[in-house]
Amino acid sequence: MHPDREALERLQLERLNALLAAVWEGNSFYANKLNGTPRSYTSLADFRGAIPVTEKHELVADQNAHPPFGTNLTYPIERYSRFCQTSGTTARPMRWLDTPETWSWMLDCWTRVLLASGVTPTDRLFFPFSFGPFLGLWAAFDAAARLGCLAIPGGGMRSSARLRMILDNGVTALCATPTYTIHLAETAHAEGIDLTASQVRRIIVAGEPGGSIPVTRARIEQLWPGARVYDHHGMTEIGPVSYECPARRGVLHIIEQAYLPEVVDPETLQPIAPGELGELLLTNLGRTGSPLLRYRTRDFVRRGAAEPCACGSFEMALEGGILGRTDDMVVIRGVNIYPSAVEEIVRAEPEVAEFRVEVCDGDALSELRIQVEPMPATQDPAALAARLQEALRAAFALRIAVEAVSPDALPRFELKAKRWVKA
């Protein structure tokens, strides 16, 4: 093992044991869950072998049984000052609390994301969101301000007004979902706003896998001249997890000073070799007030090789970023299909403005139908649909019906896009 990697793992073990000491003292959720396991460890391997995984359904059940915040709280409720809530896309929303100390830890993680994306205190960052209860919006905004950037909120506005703010205030960096970044550019085109006048040079995206999908990333950069896309991912309940490798596009590094990551077989939960597809487990090492130990993120990833990265980092690399979610996969006539794989094909067509996928559960077999909204200048929407249908057939050996719909027929999203629907 490289000396730098050894030093990193010693730091992880030290922070892990400090976390466990606090958890055993005050956190009834984990004190009950970990009953019978050691209270400290001499190696990370021993920890992984002794501690059971944490499942999302356990946390939801705990909050249902002990409303409103559950028992995964290490300190008295008076210590907590920040409230966030998950989106509830795969289960009922979970509420998550932070102390001032753990909030500062998360800002440290987000600062790492910003610095890896080339952001400096001279940048002006714009956040085109209605600031609801989701973690990423607030943590990114606070981290930018703490770094010394001019942080500009964009809540409660129409897209055209946000575009004017971007241009009028000399915004140099944008934080948004891939979907909304594309929608802002579409709005600019529709309203005659020239984005070549924009000073935006960095677009940090999260919330969807599009930032690591080459065709989606290229589409965004084509729509925003002079800007580069940087991917990132995190979860409300776990925190800001990764940053895009400065040297290799489409590769995410786990912030391993803050997290203990594992990539395992989703069926056996056993470790898998680098290069294989597996599920990401995470232990956050600094969110002591509401920790998660060996949390099943349900994210599919491909772990990179163990040697140092071209950027010089020894932190775990995820090739292609987040490749999909175990709970997002659909099986169509025996073929496993992930939303990111469909997006890669659809976004390769520059004439597609937006799309929606309908999952139709039939009596015997499930089917997919895709609606695509052509760009306004598209001359032959039927031909576009036919090309996509053939591309999908070639990729999946399935006939997936594609229908072109009228302009503005499909919804647009500020936050996570909900393109996959049950028909």
Side-chain angles (χ1 to χ4, degrees):
M1 185 184 297
H2 194 282
D4 287 352
R5 181 70 207 179
E6 289 181 351
L8 174 59
E9 293 192 2
R10 284 196 301 271
L11 176 65
Q12 288 176 319
L13 183 61
E14 177 185 330
R15 291 182 173 177
L16 175 65
N17 281 324
L19 172 68
L20 290 172
V23 164
W24 276 110
E25 182 176 341
N27 188 301
S28 60
F29 176 84
Y30 272 114
N32 292 327
K33 182 175 176 63
L34 303 184
N35 186 34
T37 64
R39 295 193 172 208
S40 64
Y41 295 87
T42 57
S43 75
L44 298 176
D46 288 346
F47 166 77
R48 294 179 177 119
I51 298 295
V53 298
T54 301
E55 303 266 7
K56 187 171 188 175
H57 68 79
E58 296 177 80
L59 303 168
V60 172
D62 177 61
Q63 292 197 354
N64 286 339
H66 305 279
F69 306 123
T71 62
N72 186 17
L73 299 172
T74 305
Y75 308 116
I77 193 69
E78 293 77 19
R79 286 276 300 273
Y80 295 84
S81 60
R82 304 296 298 235
F83 171 99
C84 290
Q85 183 171 287
T86 65
S87 62
T89 53
T90 59
R92 64 158 288 174
M94 291 190 295
R95 303 172 183 90
W96 224 256
L97 305 183
D98 280 285
T99 67
E101 296 81 8
T102 60
W103 189 253
S104 179
W105 171 82
M106 283 197 290
L107 300 194
D108 290 342
C109 294
W110 247 109
T111 299
R112 183 79 182 276
V113 175
L114 295 172
L115 292 174
S117 303
V119 172
T120 73
T122 63
D123 277 299
R124 302 177 185 181
L125 272 70
F126 187 67
F127 299 83
F129 304 107
S130 295
F131 275 57
F134 306 124
L135 170 72
L137 318 182
W138 295 99
F141 187 90
D142 283 3
R146 195 174 75 170
L147 183 60
C149 304
L150 181 61
I152 305 173
M157 297 179 179
R158 296 178 63 245
S159 295
S160 56
R162 288 170 172 161
L163 287 162
R164 287 261 55 99
M165 284 197 72
I166 289 170
L167 296 176
D168 292 347
N169 293 286
V171 167
T172 59
L174 183 67
C175 290
T177 64
T179 293
Y180 193 66
T181 305
I182 292 171
H183 177 60
L184 276 176
E186 291 174 348
T187 301
H189 179 78
E191 303 203 8
I193 299 172
D194 182 10
L195 288 185
T196 62
S198 163
Q199 297 181 46
V200 172
R201 294 297 174 262
R202 293 173 179 84
I203 300 175
I204 303 169
V205 297
E208 302 165 0
S212 289
I213 297 175
V215 293
T216 302
R217 187 171 63 232
R219 173 77 173 277
I220 295 170
E221 291 176 348
Q222 181 264 325
L223 292 170
W224 289 83
R228 171 175 165 163
V229 171
Y230 294 85
D231 202 9
H232 152 74
H233 99 284
M235 304 171 75
T236 291
E237 66 267 38
I238 197 80
V241 175
S242 66
Y243 62 92
E244 182 166 308
C245 175
R248 295 191 294 155
R249 305 205 69 181
V251 172
L252 295 180
H253 284 295
I254 303 292
I255 306 172
E256 284 205 68
Q257 292 189 11
Y259 293 91
L260 183 61
E262 306 170 56
V263 181
V264 301
D265 182 295
E267 298 298 327
T268 66
L269 299 182
Q270 294 302 304
I272 63 168
E276 295 182 8
L277 191 66
E279 181 182 341
L280 180 65
L281 306 187
L282 289 170
T283 297
N284 46 14
L285 299 173
R287 206 174 185 185
T288 313
S290 50
L292 286 174
L293 307 179
R294 305 195 72 220
Y295 183 56
R296 295 194 68 173
T297 66
R298 301 290 177 175
D299 287 327
F300 267 133
V301 298
R302 181 171 283 107
R303 178 182 179 177
E307 64 263 14
C309 179
C311 71
S313 175
F314 291 85
E315 295 175 305
M316 181 184 289
L318 306 180
E319 305 285 347
I322 305 302
L323 303 174
R325 290 184 55 81
T326 59
D327 43 19
D328 283 346
M329 183 191 77
V330 297
V331 180
I332 306 296
R333 282 173 271 165
V335 179
N336 296 345
I337 296 181
Y338 294 94
S340 58
V342 173
E343 178 169 346
E344 189 164 10
I345 293 168
V346 174
R347 288 293 187 201
E349 276 287 351
E351 291 188 305
V352 174
E354 189 53 87
F355 69 100
R356 180 169 63 185
V357 182
E358 294 183 343
V359 183
C360 314
D361 292 325
D363 293 336
L365 297 171
S366 295
E367 301 283 347
L368 288 187
R369 293 198 301 260
I370 299 180
Q371 295 177 317
V372 294
E373 184 182 310
M375 297 291 285
T378 300
Q379 297 295 312
D380 192 342
L384 169 64
R387 288 197 305 273
L388 279 172
Q389 190 164 298
E390 176 56 26
L392 291 161
R393 186 204 61 76
F396 303 119
L398 293 172
R399 184 188 182 281
I400 299 174
V402 180
E403 174 194 8
V405 299
S406 59
D408 298 321
L410 299 180
R412 300 301 196 268
F413 305 92
E414 280 186 18
L415 298 175
K416 292 182 182 180
K418 298 177 181 177
R419 294 194 179 92
W420 288 62
V421 299
K422 292 282 188 180

